[in-house]
């Protein structure tokens, strides 16, 4: 798959070393505008969510927090790439697939996709975790593209990763309130190496499915919407 961005051999080597790669300008401003408009139709304007998986913020489900509109409390929407024409084009975008091919090789499958929403003053934290322990996929060698539809900042909950820990394999996880996270002793002393990964809208973070990652709550007045698309080799 041709990629219009120049991704060097060094960048791919850094991905394999660190477990992540930040790339800006994956999609155009027009594409961002079309996708966020379509997303707003699902969350606020009554577009049918049949066939999609919609998850609300846990505090709202429990009645601990009130919002002006139900769409302001949505945390996650699954299966948009399979069910929506605009998001399907995103999942097949030449820049995204071109980079994933450089990482995993050709013959790719899209394993799953999730819209990850952090509404202003509502979006909660997602604790440190690895993706592969959630998924029954062997080998644990998936590549995820986390694409920002809004500019992701330290204030609104950008992604954070711990470099190099994907090489340690799957780490023990535990259930805590509203979350499933790595047991703290499993990455003791490594938290200090955490790298924040703010990206402008249209940019993204490609990361290994065993890279520990985290996002803070959205304490800002701005949305932080992103889509995570996990790819795997079909070989």
């Amino acid at each position: 798959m041709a990629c219009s961005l120049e991704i060097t051999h060094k960048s791919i080597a850094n991905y394999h070393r660190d477990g992540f790669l930040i790339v800006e300008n994956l999609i155009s401003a027009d594409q961002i505008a079309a996708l966020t408009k379509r997303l707003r139709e699902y969350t606020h304007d009554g577009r049918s969510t049949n066939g999609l998986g919609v998850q609300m913020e846990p505090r709202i489900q429990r009645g601990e927090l009130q919002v002006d509109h139900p769409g302001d409390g949505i945390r996650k929407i699954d299966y948009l790439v399979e069910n929506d024409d605009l998001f399907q084009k995103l999942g097949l975008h030449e820049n995204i697939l071109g980079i994933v091919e450089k990482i995993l090789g050709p013959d790719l499958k899209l394993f799953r996709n999730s819209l990850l929403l952090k509404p202003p003053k509502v979006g909660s934290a997602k604790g440190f975790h690895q993706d592969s322990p959630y998924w029954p996929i062997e080998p644990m060698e998936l590549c995820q593209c986390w694409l920002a539809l809004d500019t992701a900042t330290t204030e609104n909950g950008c992604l954070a990763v711990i470099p190099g820990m994907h090489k340690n394999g799957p780490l023990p996880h535990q259930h805590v309130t509203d979350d499933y996270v790595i047991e703290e002793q499993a990455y003791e002393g490594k938290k200090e190496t955490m790298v924040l990964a703010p990206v402008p809208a249209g940019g993204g973070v490609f990361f290994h499915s065993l890279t520990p990652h985290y996002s803070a709550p959205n304490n800002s007045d701005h949305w932080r919407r992103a889509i995570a698309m996990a790819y795997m080799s079909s070989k």
Side-chain angles (χ1 to χ4, degrees), residues 31 34-35 37-38 80-81 84-91:
Q31 290 169 317
L35 289 165
K37 180 178 182 293
R38 177 63 56 84
L80 275 168
V81 173
D84 183 279
D85 60 331
L86 291 183
F87 283 93
Q88 183 179 76
K89 290 177 182 177
L90 179 66

Side-chain angles (χ1 to χ4, degrees), residues 21-89:
L21 174 65
I22 300 171
V23 182
E24 297 187 6
N25 300 314
L26 286 166
I27 64 173
S28 70
D30 287 345
Q31 290 169 317
I32 295 166
L35 289 165
T36 52
K37 180 178 182 293
R38 177 63 56 84
L39 179 54
R40 187 78 180 179
E41 292 172 7
Y42 284 115
T43 59
H44 289 75
D45 297 335
R47 192 179 183 96
S48 173
T49 57
N50 288 343
L52 306 180
V54 179
Q55 181 186 121
M56 300 297 291
E57 278 285 339
R59 289 181 299 162
I60 292 172
Q61 284 185 315
R62 292 194 296 265
E64 299 170 5
L65 183 66
Q66 303 296 318
V67 289
D68 294 333
H69 187 283
D72 294 329
I74 295 176
R75 186 183 197 186
K76 183 188 288 190
I77 303 177
D78 292 323
Y79 314 125
L80 275 168
V81 173
E82 296 92 331
N83 290 283
D84 183 279
D85 60 331
L86 291 183
F87 283 93
Q88 183 179 76
K89 290 177 182 177

Side-chain angles (χ1 to χ4, degrees), residues 129-143:
H129 65 286
Q130 299 167 301
D131 287 330
S132 270
Y134 283 76
W135 305 333
I137 296 293
E138 295 283 354
M140 294 184 176
E141 292 287 343
L142 286 78
C143 176

